[in-house]
Amino acid sequence: MTYILVIDHIATGGAERILIDYYHYLEAKGCKVCVFVLSGHEGQSQWTNGVNVIYGSRIDEDNIIRKTVQQTALYFKLNRLVKHVKPDVVFSFLEKSNLLTSIVRTKAVKVMTVHNVLSIQYTKVRDGFVRKALYGMIRWMYNRCGNVVAVSKQVKDDLVASFGIKSDNIYVINNYVNRGDIRKKSKDTTDNFVFVDGVRYIMNVGRFSNQKAQWKLLKAFSLYVKGENKDNVHLVLMGHGEYIDRLKQLADSLGISDKVTFLPFNVNPYKYMKHAHLFVLSSIYEGFPIVLAEASSLRIPFVGTRKAVPEEMFDDKEFWETCIFDSTTLNADFSTEIHDDERCLAALLKKGVEDEAFRNKILKHTSQWESCNDKLIQFCMYDELCENREKR
């Protein structure tokens, strides 16, 4: 079979990682595969080494007129690629790519994937007319495709409730990982940070951005360690992004700089993650965060926000409720003011670090999901959709 995989960009996000892994999986099966990236350029990502990539444009325009012209040009470029390649499947990731895939002219099977809770992602759209038009476009494009992959139950529920997408069009397929590869890589030695015996490390890995909301974690951590005078607890934040300097300044303002370490993004975060006593996901929203699947594969207890920690990872909903908190502040706040949701997170940090019974229950109640945490299962489910030629 011949595939075209379509994505907005390739940086360090979860959707990009899934695409790259799926590309190599399909190649290993003997399929012909190419990747169409809406914006980017050769050498921008080390993940694309050895990958057959066609770039539609070099940058993503931000001016609305230039963006409209750019999207029109991208449609024609993708259309020409489809005519040339004659794919059996066009498989897309993220909203811009999904829109182009939904309208491109082809008899190929189309599969579109949704990786976020869109109603929360688009709260930043304030204009009522624009918001209504955006919701209408999302409803139109996903209702005309019979193969929509939602990465979690909450993503599917949001598509149905907020956008009116037909439930029968949506298939929930979680993001899994290669456990064996992660455990193997976790045995490597860290080269820019020394983990000290006897210190309990709380860890977060992700882009330093509004969505990931690490400022909440810093404030909650400051409440925990200063209130309890904890000398043996340390916070490690790994990633990169536009908020790095402001987060460092916040840690300084909170008086916890000596207890917080910022590490740059690393292609092998597992050699760091294995030292974590507790993994925390402070994101305002996620679809199905791959980093939690990775933490699960290393059997690290984790806690986080309601919209970031998927319910289906737990076999007991009531216990899941004890591992999450509701994120009530949605906009970045780098002041030292502590909000109620950050106080709730501080209590979760204390429980997740110190309560061994609670920590063991997290591992127990996620063990059933972990038994299925295999990337091959995810990709085999993708294959079933791609081979279903009745739904296009």
Side-chain angles (χ1 to χ4, degrees):
M1 292 178 69
T2 302
Y3 288 72
I4 296 178
L5 308 183
V6 188
I7 195 164
D8 295 13
H9 47 71
I10 296 182
T12 58
E16 295 101 306
R17 292 173 62 184
I18 295 168
L19 177 143
I20 295 297
D21 288 339
Y22 192 41
Y23 175 95
H24 292 301
Y25 163 83
L26 292 172
E27 268 205 329
K29 284 181 59 179
C31 298
K32 294 181 180 179
V33 197
C34 68
V35 178
F36 184 75
V37 180
L38 304 194
S39 63
H41 54 85
E42 188 176 351
Q44 186 175 25
S45 171
Q46 57 187 325
W47 288 352
T48 58
N49 293 339
V51 175
N52 181 16
V53 181
I54 296 101
Y55 294 96
S57 59
R58 189 170 181 83
I59 61 171
D60 185 19
E61 297 287 355
D62 52 10
N63 175 277
I64 189 166
I65 296 175
R66 290 198 298 268
K67 185 182 286 290
T68 301
V69 173
Q70 182 184 53
Q71 294 303 307
T72 303
L74 287 171
Y75 165 74
F76 286 112
K77 287 181 180 180
L78 179 57
N79 219 34
R80 286 195 296 270
L81 180 64
V82 166
K83 287 182 179 179
H84 174 70
V85 173
K86 295 180 176 58
D88 299 294
V89 179
V90 180
F91 200 115
S92 64
F93 302 75
L94 305 176
E95 270 57 58
K96 291 178 185 176
S97 300
N98 289 343
L99 175 60
L100 290 182
T101 295
S102 71
I103 61 177
V104 73
R105 300 176 64 182
T106 178
K107 293 183 179 180
V109 173
K110 296 179 180 180
V111 181
M112 301 189 293
T113 60
V114 185
H115 293 263
N116 277 314
V117 181
L118 298 186
S119 65
I120 300 178
Q121 178 177 329
Y122 292 123
T123 53
K124 59 187 177 184
V125 179
R126 302 295 184 185
D127 186 280
F129 176 79
V130 174
R131 187 180 178 86
K132 184 177 181 180
L134 177 64
Y135 271 51
M137 181 194 72
I138 291 171
R139 178 167 54 252
W140 173 80
M141 72 177 180
Y142 290 138
N143 273 332
R144 74 195 307 262
C145 176
N147 298 314
V148 178
V149 173
V151 296
S152 68
K153 179 180 178 294
Q154 75 164 343
V155 169
K156 175 175 180 175
D157 292 345
D158 182 61
L159 288 172
V160 173
S162 301
F163 299 92
I165 312 302
K166 292 179 285 189
S167 181
D168 289 347
N169 283 12
I170 308 171
Y171 300 84
V172 176
I173 302 178
N174 292 161
N175 293 331
Y176 296 131
V177 295
N178 185 331
R179 287 179 292 176
D181 183 60
I182 287 174
R183 290 169 184 171
K184 180 180 178 181
K185 289 179 178 177
S186 73
K187 295 177 181 178
D188 289 352
T189 304
T190 58
D191 50 15
N192 59 347
F193 185 73
V194 176
F195 289 88
V196 180
D197 290 341
V199 175
R200 295 178 175 182
Y201 292 94
I202 298 171
M203 193 163 186
N204 172 279
V205 178
R207 182 174 179 80
F208 300 137
S209 65
N210 191 78
Q211 177 189 349
K212 305 301 182 180
Q214 286 94 347
W215 74 87
K216 292 180 185 289
L217 179 51
L218 286 172
K219 292 182 183 183
F221 181 72
S222 72
L223 274 181
Y224 171 44
V225 295
K226 292 172 75 174
E228 298 286 334
N229 192 27
K230 294 291 181 183
D231 293 325
N232 66 334
V233 181
H234 197 88
L235 175 63
V236 177
L237 302 177
M238 173 179 282
H240 59 72
E242 60 271 27
Y243 284 175
I244 177 65
D245 292 333
R246 299 179 76 180
L247 289 169
K248 288 181 177 179
Q249 179 58 52
L250 177 59
D252 187 58
S253 299
L254 292 167
I256 55 173
S257 292
D258 60 330
K259 296 180 180 293
V260 180
T261 297
F262 290 86
L263 294 175
F265 170 77
N266 193 291
V267 291
N268 178 10
Y270 320 120
K271 59 185 178 182
Y272 299 89
M273 289 172 63
K274 72 177 179 184
H275 295 281
H277 193 69
L278 179 70
F279 193 90
V280 182
L281 205 62
S282 53
S283 305
I284 294 171
Y285 64 91
E286 295 280 356
F288 194 104
I290 292 177
V291 72
L292 280 193
E294 294 168 339
S296 176
S297 70
L298 294 171
R299 304 315 287 144
I300 302 168
F302 55 85
V303 297
T305 62
R306 179 181 299 275
K307 295 299 184 180
V309 178
E311 176 188 334
E312 60 259 47
M313 291 188 75
F314 293 78
D315 60 16
D316 185 324
K317 183 177 180 179
E318 289 187 8
F319 181 75
W320 169 70
E321 292 277 357
T322 68
C323 301
I324 59 173
F325 72 101
D326 288 299
S327 185
T328 54
T329 51
L330 304 183
N331 296 316
D333 178 6
F334 295 99
S335 73
T336 56
E337 179 184 359
I338 307 294
H339 302 281
D340 288 343
D341 55 350
E342 291 148 2
R343 297 182 191 280
C344 292
L345 178 54
L348 263 183
L349 296 183
K350 176 178 172 62
K351 192 174 181 181
V353 170
E354 301 178 17
D355 188 336
E356 285 301 319
F358 176 65
R359 291 166 46 76
N360 289 332
K361 284 181 179 179
I362 294 174
L363 300 180
K364 174 186 175 182
H365 287 295
T366 57
S367 62
Q368 182 175 327
W369 184 89
E370 175 58 27
S371 67
C372 299
N373 187 9
D374 185 337
K375 192 180 291 291
L376 285 178
I377 293 177
Q378 178 183 354
F379 291 164
C380 285
M381 294 172 75
Y382 283 0
D383 289 348
E384 289 181 15
L385 292 182
C386 295
E387 292 164 6
N388 180 8
R389 305 194 68 86
E390 294 180 3
K391 297 187 75 174
R392 297 170 184 254

